[in-house]
RNA sequence: GGCCCGAUAGCUCAGUCGGUAGAGCAGUGGAUUGAAAAUUCACGUGUCGGCGGUUCAAAUCCGUCUCGGGCCA
C-alpha cells in the first residue's frame, strides 16, 4: 500500500472523525512518529478543549508539536510551517515516517505546498484596515490590482484586506505573486500521500456531541477558567467563548454544550469542504 | 367541570384590513496560502393542529374537537 516509507504521510479529516486513533495505526504500520497539524492542539493548557490526544492515547508513539505554545502567543499558518518543517526533517533523518495529523486545512496546505512568497500579515496595517469601511478597501484594491479584486470575494473583508495588505507590503500586485506561486506548486499534489477520514453526517454529529460532553466533564471548563493571558488567536478555539459565557452565568450548561456542538458541526462541514478539494487524499470510510 | 391564552419550517417566532406565508437559529452546498476551530457567499413548499362552516377567496372570521400552558372551581 505504501511504497516509500520515508516520506510524510498525512492523516486528515473533520474534527471528531477519529484522526488521532488512525494516525496511531499508521505510525505502527509505517514505523512513524506523529506530527500535529492542528492549529489549537499546538497550545498548552487547552488540551481537553482542543481534543488533543492524551498521554494514554499517545501510547508508545512519539508525538510532536502538541502543547508547545503559550496561549498568549498568536500563530499563523506560516509560523506553523516554520515549526513543523524542522521536526519533519529530523524525523526523516532518523529513518522514520512523519505521520502528519490534523484538521487545519490551511496549515496542512502550507506543509504540503509550501508557503507562498507573500508578505506575512502586518498587525498595524490590519487594525488600520479594520477601521475603514469595506467599500473603501474594495475601491483601493480595485485601483491597485483589478485582477486580484476580480478574483476576490469582495464581501469578505478579510480576503479584501489581505489582498490589499499584500500589495502594500510587497509593492507588487498580489495577483502576480499569487500566479507565480500557483504555477510553481501546480504539480506537487501528485507526489503526496495521505488519507482523509469520511463519516456520515449523523455519525459525525453523534461523535461530536459525545466528545463535547466528555470535554465538559473532563476539564475543559477548568482549562478556560485557568487561562488568564490568552492571545486573540487562541481565544477563537471553539468552546472558549461558550465556556466563558457559562462561567459568567450567562448561559446554562446544556445551552453551552449545544452552542459548542453547533459550532463544531459547522467547523466539521467546512473541513469536509476543504478536504474534498484535496483530490490527492485517499478516502477512508469509517 | 368552567373560563382564558397558545398551536405557522427541525427549533424560536412574525404574519397589517381575509387575497394560499417569512425572519432568526439549525441544516446543506461553495469559496478559502500567513487571523483558518477564522472569515465569507448561496440555498426557504411548510397537511399554517384536525374537521366543518361563512366567503369569489381563510393562517386570518365562526363553530367544534385534539394537544399544551394558565386561572377559577
Amino acid at each position: 500500500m505504501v511504497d516509500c516509507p520515508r516520506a510524510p504521510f498525512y492523516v486528515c479529516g473533520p474534527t471528531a472523525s477519529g484522526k488521532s486513533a488512525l494516525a496511531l495505526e499508521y505510525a505502527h504500520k509505517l514505523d512513524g512518529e506523529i506530527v500535529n497539524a492542528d492549529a489549537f492542539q499546538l497550545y498548552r493548557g487547552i488540551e481537553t478543549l482542543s481534543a488533543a490526544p492524551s498521554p494514554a492515547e499517545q501510547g508508545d508513539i512519539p508525538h510532536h508539536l502538541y502543547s508547545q505554545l503559550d496561549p498568549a502567543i498568536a500563530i499563523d499558518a506560516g509560523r506553523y510551517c516554520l515549526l513543523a518543517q524542522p521536526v519533519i526533517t529530523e524525523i526523516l533523518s532518523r529513518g522514520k515516517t512523519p505521520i502528519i495529523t490534523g484538521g487545519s486545512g490551511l496549515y496542512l496546505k502550507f506543509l504540503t505546498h509550501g508557503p507562498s512568497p507573500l508578505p506575512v500579515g502586518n498587525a498595524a496595517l490590519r487594525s488600520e484596515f479594520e477601521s475603514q469601511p469595506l467599500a473603501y478597501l474594495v475601491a483601493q484594491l480595485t485601483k491597485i490590482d483589478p485582477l486580484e479584486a476580480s478574483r476576490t470575494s469582495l464581501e469578505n473583508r478579510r480576503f479584501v484586506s489581505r489582498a490589499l495588505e499584500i500589495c502594500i507590503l510587497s509593492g507588487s500586485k498580489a495577483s502576480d505573486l499569487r500566479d507565480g506561486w500557483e504555477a510553481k506548486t501546480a504539480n506537487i499534489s501528485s507526489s503526496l500521500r495521505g488519507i482523509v477520514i469520511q463519516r456520515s453526517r449523523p455519525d459525525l454529529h453523534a461523535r461530536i456531541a459525545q466528545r463535547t460532553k466528555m470535554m465538559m466533564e473532563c476539564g475543559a471548563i477548568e482549562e478556560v477558567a485557568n487561562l488568564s493571558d490568552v492571545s486573540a488567536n487562541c481565544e477563537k478555539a471553539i468552546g472558549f467563548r461558550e465556556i466563558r459565557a457559562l462561567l459568567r452565568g450567562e448561559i446554562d450548561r446544556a445551552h453551552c454544550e449545544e452552542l459548542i456542538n453547533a459550532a463544531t458541526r459547522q467547523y466539521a462541514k467546512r473541513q469536509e469542504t476543504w478536504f474534498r478539494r484535496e483530490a490527492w487524499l485517499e478516502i477512508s470510510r469509517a
Side-chain angles (χ1 to χ4, degrees):
Chain A
M1 159 176 204
V2 170
D3 37 31
C4 177
R6 292 193 53 187
F9 187 86
Y10 295 86
V11 177
C12 311
T15 187
S17 60
K19 291 186 292 296
S20 298
L22 191 63
L24 213 58
E25 278 180 39
Y26 274 92
H28 284 119
K29 224 185 303 188
L30 304 176
D31 187 24
E33 298 188 7
I34 292 172
V35 181
N36 173 41
D38 182 290
F40 287 81
Q41 292 175 6
L42 286 167
Y43 283 108
R44 194 163 41 237
I46 55 167
E47 286 80 2
T48 307
L49 189 72
S50 65
S54 67
E57 287 165 330
Q58 294 182 13
D60 54 349
I61 300 290
H63 280 59
H64 304 269
L65 294 182
Y66 291 90
S67 306
Q68 290 283 300
L69 233 71
D70 190 288
I73 292 172
I75 191 162
D76 57 54
R79 290 198 43 217
Y80 163 73
C81 208
L82 292 176
L83 285 177
Q85 271 164 344
V87 172
I88 292 165
T89 305
E90 194 271 333
I91 293 169
L92 288 169
S93 76
R94 293 199 319 268
K96 303 275 188 180
T97 306
I99 311 291
I100 298 161
T101 311
S104 301
L106 184 66
Y107 283 28
L108 282 157
K109 188 84 185 221
F110 265 65
L111 234 39
T112 56
H113 291 68
S116 63
L118 302 173
V120 301
N122 181 288
L125 209 48
R126 285 178 183 185
S127 67
E128 191 197 315
F129 289 159
E130 211 59 57
S131 66
Q132 301 287 356
L134 177 58
Y136 171 80
L137 300 178
V138 169
Q140 289 295 108
L141 180 63
T142 308
K143 201 169 99 188
I144 299 171
D145 189 347
L147 178 58
E148 187 66 7
S150 75
R151 301 158 162 179
T152 303
S153 302
L154 298 178
E155 320 80 11
N156 193 330
R157 166 177 282 273
R158 216 169 261 195
F159 287 5
V160 174
S161 297
R162 174 60 184 156
L164 201 52
E165 179 183 62
I166 291 167
C167 295
I168 290 170
L169 293 177
S170 70
S172 9
K173 289 185 176 181
S175 53
D176 288 343
L177 298 174
R178 283 197 161 137
D179 282 347
W181 181 77
E182 292 280 341
K184 246 174 66 184
T185 58
N187 296 319
I188 286 180
S189 295
S190 59
S191 64
L192 299 168
R193 56 187 195 140
I195 56 167
V196 55
I197 302 177
Q198 212 170 69
R199 287 181 184 275
S200 73
R201 279 291 159 81
D203 179 25
L204 191 61
H205 288 183
R207 289 175 63 99
I208 286 170
Q210 190 185 15
R211 195 187 63 186
T212 302
K213 195 160 172 274
M214 278 295 268
M215 270 181 193
M216 297 295 281
E217 283 165 8
C218 299
I221 298 170
E222 292 71 20
E223 284 179 351
V224 172
N226 289 338
L227 286 181
S228 48
D229 189 13
V230 192
S231 62
N233 182 68
C234 183
E235 244 173 11
K236 285 184 299 205
I238 290 175
F240 202 93
R241 280 168 199 284
E242 294 85 350
I243 290 176
R244 282 220 161 146
L246 174 69
L247 290 168
R248 278 190 245 107
E250 291 165 10
I251 54 176
D252 65 19
R253 173 79 170 251
H255 190 200
C256 180
E257 268 188 44
E258 186 37 43
L259 289 176
I260 292 174
N261 281 334
T264 309
R265 277 184 242 125
Q266 290 166 349
Y267 172 48
K269 192 167 79 66
R270 276 178 265 131
Q271 289 176 299
E272 290 190 322
T273 301
W274 184 289
F275 291 127
R276 238 172 253 148
R277 284 210 309 182
E278 300 296 322
W280 57 275
L281 286 167
E282 189 188 319
I283 292 168
S284 162
R285 283 176 214 284

